[in-house]
């Protein structure tokens, strides 16, 4: 599998886990993460984030999005 496909799969998995954790649809979670820079964070930090468990990734996303104005 190509690196790009791995990154896409990882991002999709993170969005789905974020959606489940916050009781959102996948579309709502994606919009939130995109708006508050979570998607960009996952893309920029793939090499480290993909080695972590989802609990840690979700906490990283929560902190980042809050810093950027998110309220979840």
């Amino acid at each position: 599998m190509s690196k790009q496909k791995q990154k896409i799969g990882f991002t999709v998995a993170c969005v789905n886990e974020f959606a489940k954790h916050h009781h959102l649809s996948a579309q709502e979670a994606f919009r939130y993460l995109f708006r508050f820079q979570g998607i960009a964070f996952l893309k920029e930090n793939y090499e480290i984030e993909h080695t972590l468990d989802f609990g840690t990734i979700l906490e990283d996303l929560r902190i980042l999005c809050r810093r950027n104005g998110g309220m979840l």
Side-chain angles (χ1 to χ4, degrees), residues 1 45 50:
M1 185 185 302
N45 296 287
H50 88 278

Side-chain angles (χ1 to χ4, degrees), residues 14-65:
C14 290
V15 169
N16 287 332
E17 287 296 318
F18 189 87
K20 261 197 288 188
H21 184 76
H22 292 286
H23 308 290
L24 302 168
S25 70
Q27 187 176 29
E28 290 170 324
F30 178 83
R31 285 183 189 152
Y32 178 87
L33 291 171
F34 185 82
R35 179 175 180 192
F36 297 109
Q37 307 303 313
I39 299 296
F41 172 80
L42 291 173
K43 286 170 66 176
E44 291 168 17
N45 296 287
Y46 170 79
E47 294 300 325
I48 293 172
E49 291 293 316
H50 88 278
T51 66
L52 304 173
D53 62 277
F54 279 121
T56 302
I57 295 167
L58 293 177
E59 181 64 12
D60 290 348
L61 289 170
R62 185 190 67 78
I63 291 167
L64 174 83
C65 290

